[in-house]
Amino acid sequence: PNQEFKGLICEGANVLPTKFVEDAFKNEYGKVVNIQRLGKVLKSINNWYTERGLFARISGIQILSGGIVRLQVSEAEVNNITIQFLDKKTGEATVGKTRPETLLRQLTTKKGQVYSMQQGKRDVETLLSMGIVEDADIVSHSHNDTGKVDLTMNVVERVNGGFSAGGGIAGNRMTGGLLSGLVGSFTYSHRNLFGRNKKLNVSVERGQIDSLFRMNYTDPWIEGDEKRTSRSITLQ
């Protein structure tokens, strides 16, 4: 028999706002449960998830006695996140030089959260902005039919260190008298020291009389600091 809508039970919705659900059904109270109207309400709920890039949907609906509608919502929580390094030329898995925890701590996506594709996209952009990653993407996998997802962040590293050397002849006017005559220079730089995203630049210029030495070391996020404190040291 047809029943009037008198109440709602919503299960499994952890990020879906209660008020949104209540507003979606408020015009149905006292009316005979109608599948077509109900379908529009359910579509609006699924659209709420889709617009936010969330891995979630209504997975079941049941009309109980007394005009009570039970909704079952499936929100895919993140079970695990791993870093997979890929070879630039072959695209095959390889051993990376960057410590995985250096990349993982940059991600805003965490275990236990409902997976958001929009948030995942921002995490990819964050890794690319570090300067030590040439390419990155994120792939989701269903975790043993538990309703959870495992995430794999595929990463192609940049070449992050190198030496350069040179020489020439400098006059007093060009160098202020510091390095006149024959001049030799040596530079070493690394953007991912010890695989921890630390930056090091060392340069040495040596003339016939004097030498110049410069070193700059930057740690953009001190290990163990939750406030993302950075540290920079310059010697000259």
Side-chain angles (χ1 to χ4, degrees):
N2 294 330
Q3 300 185 68
E4 291 184 359
F5 178 74
K6 294 183 178 180
L8 175 71
I9 299 173
C10 187
E11 300 174 342
N14 296 314
V15 298
L16 181 67
T18 301
K19 188 177 186 307
F20 181 86
V21 179
E22 292 174 346
D23 289 345
F25 279 91
K26 67 180 181 180
N27 293 328
E28 299 301 316
Y29 282 92
K31 297 180 181 179
V32 173
V33 176
N34 179 282
I35 298 300
Q36 185 175 1
R37 289 202 313 270
L38 196 58
K40 292 180 180 179
V41 173
L42 302 184
K43 183 178 180 180
S44 71
I45 294 175
N46 283 331
N47 285 343
W48 186 91
Y49 284 115
T50 301
E51 290 168 1
R52 288 156 181 79
L54 295 168
F55 263 36
R57 61 182 177 84
I58 295 175
S59 56
I61 181 171
Q62 185 179 8
I63 302 175
L64 306 177
S65 61
I68 304 298
V69 174
R70 175 188 287 168
L71 289 184
Q72 182 64 46
V73 178
S74 296
E75 297 179 343
E77 293 183 358
V78 177
N79 176 69
N80 193 32
I81 309 172
T82 57
I83 301 294
Q84 176 67 70
F85 295 99
L86 301 179
D87 184 271
K88 179 180 179 180
K89 295 182 179 179
T90 66
E92 299 294 327
T94 187
V95 177
K97 296 180 180 180
T98 305
R99 292 178 178 269
E101 59 268 25
T102 298
L103 301 176
L104 288 172
R105 69 176 180 173
Q106 299 285 341
L107 308 182
T108 58
T109 301
K110 304 295 182 183
K111 295 180 183 179
Q113 292 181 347
V114 176
Y115 176 50
S116 166
M117 291 182 289
Q118 293 179 2
Q119 191 174 6
K121 181 180 179 181
R122 290 193 295 269
D123 284 335
V124 168
E125 293 171 350
T126 296
L127 294 191
L128 293 174
S129 69
M130 294 173 68
I132 62 176
V133 173
E134 184 170 317
D135 195 12
D137 63 32
I138 190 167
V139 180
S140 62
H141 315 271
S142 177
H143 179 73
N144 298 331
D145 296 324
T146 61
K148 297 184 178 183
V149 293
D150 291 323
L151 302 179
T152 301
M153 184 70 78
N154 295 314
V155 172
V156 177
E157 294 177 292
R158 292 183 183 276
V159 176
N160 287 304
F163 297 88
S164 64
I169 300 176
N172 289 337
R173 292 183 180 179
M174 295 178 62
T175 62
L178 293 176
L179 295 172
S180 59
L182 294 174
V183 177
S185 64
F186 165 84
T187 302
Y188 171 77
S189 64
H190 206 295
R191 291 178 292 188
N192 191 20
L193 198 64
F194 309 124
R196 296 185 180 276
N197 194 32
K198 300 177 181 182
K199 320 295 183 185
L200 177 67
N201 289 281
V202 178
S203 64
V204 178
E205 294 183 19
R206 183 172 179 81
Q208 291 178 313
I209 301 175
D210 295 307
S211 299
L212 292 177
F213 171 81
R214 298 184 183 89
M215 186 191 79
N216 180 263
Y217 167 82
T218 301
D219 186 349
W221 187 348
I222 297 175
E223 188 172 357
D225 185 274
E226 296 182 357
K227 297 181 179 180
R228 302 174 75 104
T229 304
S230 62
R231 172 172 52 199
S232 183
I233 300 173
T234 300
L235 298 176
Q236 183 170 322

